[in-house]
Amino acid sequence: MSEFINIALPKGRLGEKVYRLFRDAGYECPSIEEENRKLIFENPEKGVRYFWVKPSDVAIYVERGAADVGVAGKDILLEYAPDVYELADLGLGKCRMCVAAKKDFRDRGERTLRVATKFPRIAGRYYASLSREIDIIHLNGSIEIAPILGLSDVIVDIVETGKTLLENDLEPKETIVPISARLIANKVSYKFKHQQITALCEQIQLRCR
Ligand code: PRP
């Protein structure tokens, strides 16, 4: 196994914040800050190799050991339940998983509730806990449109500022679970690169309190 610690970061705004956290914790990799379209960056001096991957794919890279550690949203961890260790809550990317619907919608429990979502397992578990019968409509994005077009009664989706709901005449009805970014580790890497991973985790945690 290489001496590098391989780190999968979620590509996008959250990933940039996460990289700055790692950098400030002593794991800098200056080439990652250059403007280009590369996806892999390494700094042999610090023994780090970073990859930019699609946020929902971070857990796959980590679970299969292509990355030793990574940063994934709690939403992804709850939805896909990857076989990884969750080491720390980074306190970044804070948002919540909500049920939302049109302002005038009330669930009277008269018929099967149609639920549009990118998160069928989270939605399924939530309504199972309420013993509410539902029909899941699994979409991949722009979920807010579903109740407007009559495709669903409610949506289960991430709410950060609430702006998307507001601008589409929807409102949050229930919070299912708070969400934030988590540091995760591959189980084998955690054993064989234990010292490196725990040192990284400690340095990161010092900076996210
Ligand atoms: C997420 C979510 C909402 C929006 C909420 O979408 O699905 O649409 O952010 O943010 P707000 O409360 O601050 O308005 P994302 O940007 O991940 O895009 P997607 O729906 O295409 O996946």
Side-chain angles (χ1 to χ4, degrees):
M1 224 180 265
S2 82
E3 294 305 313
F4 278 95
I5 182 158
N6 296 297
I7 306 169
L9 294 182
K11 206 164 184 274
R13 215 156 27 100
L14 172 65
E16 284 164 24
K17 277 191 204 161
V18 170
Y19 168 70
R20 288 196 289 274
L21 176 64
F22 279 66
R23 179 192 66 193
D24 297 346
Y27 296 88
E28 70 268 24
C29 181
S31 58
I32 207 170
E33 297 190 64
E34 290 164 10
E35 279 286 317
N36 60 42
R37 297 205 163 204
K38 282 175 68 174
L39 298 171
I40 302 181
F41 304 88
E42 56 186 51
N43 181 358
E45 255 172 57
K46 294 284 173 181
V48 285
R49 184 183 289 127
Y50 288 99
F51 322 129
W52 288 126
V53 308
K54 203 171 147 77
S56 52
D57 289 343
V58 168
I60 299 173
Y61 283 82
V62 174
E63 182 176 38
R64 292 177 173 264
D68 300 307
V69 297
V71 173
K74 185 68 181 174
D75 52 333
I76 301 297
L77 302 179
L78 290 171
E79 181 64 25
Y80 298 102
D83 190 18
V84 297
Y85 291 130
E86 190 179 314
L87 301 182
D89 182 347
L90 303 186
L92 296 172
K94 282 190 180 170
C95 51
R96 55 203 171 106
M97 186 66 66
C98 285
V99 176
K102 285 202 227 170
K103 287 177 183 148
D104 58 4
F105 177 78
R106 298 281 174 279
D107 181 11
R108 297 196 171 80
E110 288 155 356
R111 55 178 177 79
T112 303
L113 187 71
R114 296 167 307 152
V115 182
T117 187
K118 268 192 289 193
F119 303 96
R121 287 174 80 176
I122 295 175
R125 277 198 299 265
Y126 173 69
Y127 283 105
S129 77
L130 301 177
S131 304
R132 178 73 174 97
E133 198 183 320
I134 60 165
D135 175 14
I136 297 249
I137 301 160
H138 188 178
L139 300 177
N140 296 298
S142 302
I143 316 296
E144 292 82 1
I145 294 178
I148 298 166
L149 299 184
L151 179 64
S152 74
D153 302 305
V154 301
I155 63 173
V156 166
D157 201 12
I158 284 167
V159 178
E160 190 182 350
T161 60
K163 215 170 158 208
T164 311
L165 291 182
L166 194 70
E167 290 186 2
N168 289 289
D169 293 321
L170 303 177
E171 66 179 17
K173 300 285 187 188
E174 306 288 341
T175 294
I176 299 178
V177 65
I179 303 291
S180 57
R182 308 296 163 101
L183 178 65
I184 57 173
N186 172 269
K187 289 190 166 175
V188 175
S189 304
Y190 191 71
K191 198 168 165 193
F192 290 101
K193 296 187 182 177
H194 191 76
Q195 213 190 339
Q196 279 167 284
I197 293 176
T198 43
L200 170 95
C201 184
E202 275 169 25
Q203 289 306 312
I204 298 279
Q205 279 183 302
L206 283 175
R207 277 158 188 84
C208 56
R209 290 220 169 95

Tab-separated table of all heavy atoms in Angstrom, residues 118 140-142 144 157-164, ligand 1:
chain	number	residue	atom	x	y	z
A	118	LYS	N	-35.111	12.059	-4.000
A	118	LYS	CA	-33.842	11.462	-4.446
A	118	LYS	C	-33.380	10.461	-3.395
A	118	LYS	O	-32.353	9.827	-3.551
A	118	LYS	CB	-32.771	12.574	-4.500
A	118	LYS	CG	-32.622	13.278	-5.813
A	118	LYS	CD	-31.354	14.138	-5.818
A	118	LYS	CE	-31.493	15.355	-4.926
A	118	LYS	NZ	-30.435	16.374	-5.123
A	140	ASN	N	-34.247	12.230	-9.779
A	140	ASN	CA	-32.804	12.490	-9.655
A	140	ASN	C	-32.451	13.950	-9.412
A	140	ASN	O	-31.295	14.286	-9.212
A	140	ASN	CB	-32.080	11.978	-10.904
A	140	ASN	CG	-32.218	10.481	-11.016
A	140	ASN	OD1	-31.763	9.751	-10.152
A	140	ASN	ND2	-32.905	10.022	-12.041
A	141	GLY	N	-33.412	14.840	-9.443
A	141	GLY	CA	-33.121	16.255	-9.203
A	141	GLY	C	-34.375	17.078	-9.473
A	141	GLY	O	-35.412	16.518	-9.875
A	142	SER	N	-34.285	18.384	-9.213
A	142	SER	CA	-35.435	19.293	-9.396
A	142	SER	C	-36.714	18.705	-8.788
A	142	SER	O	-37.803	18.785	-9.376
A	142	SER	CB	-35.666	19.590	-10.885
A	142	SER	OG	-34.516	20.149	-11.435
A	144	GLU	N	-38.525	19.688	-6.471
A	144	GLU	CA	-39.566	20.664	-6.101
A	144	GLU	C	-40.678	20.774	-7.130
A	144	GLU	O	-41.778	21.244	-6.820
A	144	GLU	CB	-38.927	22.046	-5.879
A	144	GLU	CG	-38.019	22.143	-4.667
A	144	GLU	CD	-36.603	21.623	-4.904
A	144	GLU	OE1	-36.286	21.195	-6.036
A	144	GLU	OE2	-35.809	21.643	-3.948
A	157	ASP	N	-36.635	16.055	0.708
A	157	ASP	CA	-35.446	16.620	0.078
A	157	ASP	C	-34.641	17.425	1.085
A	157	ASP	O	-35.109	17.695	2.199
A	157	ASP	CB	-35.857	17.511	-1.105
A	157	ASP	CG	-34.716	17.714	-2.099
A	157	ASP	OD1	-33.700	17.003	-2.018
A	157	ASP	OD2	-34.847	18.606	-2.964
A	158	ILE	N	-33.465	17.845	0.624
A	158	ILE	CA	-32.589	18.658	1.459
A	158	ILE	C	-33.020	20.114	1.414
A	158	ILE	O	-33.294	20.648	0.333
A	158	ILE	CB	-31.151	18.497	0.964
A	158	ILE	CG1	-30.628	17.151	1.420
A	158	ILE	CG2	-30.260	19.621	1.422
A	158	ILE	CD1	-29.369	16.758	0.760
A	159	VAL	N	-33.084	20.726	2.584
A	159	VAL	CA	-33.371	22.162	2.669
A	159	VAL	C	-32.169	22.811	3.346
A	159	VAL	O	-31.761	22.389	4.431
A	159	VAL	CB	-34.651	22.436	3.485
A	159	VAL	CG1	-34.898	23.935	3.603
A	159	VAL	CG2	-35.846	21.754	2.842
A	160	GLU	N	-31.614	23.802	2.668
A	160	GLU	CA	-30.483	24.499	3.283
A	160	GLU	C	-30.962	25.882	3.710
A	160	GLU	O	-31.236	26.123	4.883
A	160	GLU	CB	-29.318	24.560	2.301
A	160	GLU	CG	-28.034	25.053	2.957
A	160	GLU	CD	-26.874	25.165	1.999
A	160	GLU	OE1	-26.980	24.687	0.850
A	160	GLU	OE2	-25.858	25.760	2.397
A	161	THR	N	-31.133	26.779	2.751
A	161	THR	CA	-31.629	28.117	3.102
A	161	THR	C	-33.159	28.169	3.061
A	161	THR	O	-33.765	29.082	3.620
A	161	THR	CB	-31.108	29.156	2.093
A	161	THR	OG1	-31.592	28.775	0.796
A	161	THR	CG2	-29.594	29.201	2.063
A	162	GLY	N	-33.779	27.258	2.349
A	162	GLY	CA	-35.240	27.267	2.187
A	162	GLY	C	-35.674	28.057	0.966
A	162	GLY	O	-36.859	28.137	0.639
A	163	LYS	N	-34.683	28.637	0.262
A	163	LYS	CA	-34.992	29.508	-0.868
A	163	LYS	C	-35.660	28.757	-2.022
A	163	LYS	O	-36.609	29.250	-2.625
A	163	LYS	CB	-33.676	30.132	-1.347
A	163	LYS	CG	-33.836	31.531	-1.837
A	163	LYS	CD	-32.496	32.199	-2.074
A	163	LYS	CE	-32.749	33.337	-3.052
A	163	LYS	NZ	-31.645	33.680	-3.878
A	164	THR	N	-35.156	27.562	-2.298
A	164	THR	CA	-35.726	26.796	-3.424
A	164	THR	C	-37.197	26.488	-3.160
A	164	THR	O	-38.038	26.622	-4.051
A	164	THR	CB	-34.935	25.495	-3.661
A	164	THR	OG1	-33.548	25.813	-3.707
A	164	THR	CG2	-35.342	24.826	-4.957
B	1	PRP	C1	-30.501	20.821	-3.159
B	1	PRP	C2	-31.899	20.383	-2.796
B	1	PRP	C3	-32.718	21.616	-3.062
B	1	PRP	C4	-31.757	22.737	-2.754
B	1	PRP	C5	-32.068	23.307	-1.387
B	1	PRP	O1	-30.361	20.695	-4.517
B	1	PRP	O2	-32.295	19.264	-3.582
B	1	PRP	O3	-33.146	21.663	-4.392
B	1	PRP	O4	-30.433	22.184	-2.734
B	1	PRP	O5	-31.285	24.417	-1.080
B	1	PRP	P1	-31.922	25.759	-0.482
B	1	PRP	O6	-32.801	25.375	0.673
B	1	PRP	O7	-30.735	26.567	-0.030
B	1	PRP	O8	-32.690	26.443	-1.569
B	1	PRP	P2	-28.956	20.624	-5.234
B	1	PRP	O9	-28.349	21.982	-5.311
B	1	PRP	O10	-28.134	19.588	-4.582
B	1	PRP	O11	-29.382	20.224	-6.724
B	1	PRP	P3	-30.247	18.991	-7.289
B	1	PRP	O12	-31.647	19.127	-6.782
B	1	PRP	O13	-30.169	19.140	-8.760
B	1	PRP	O14	-29.582	17.737	-6.790
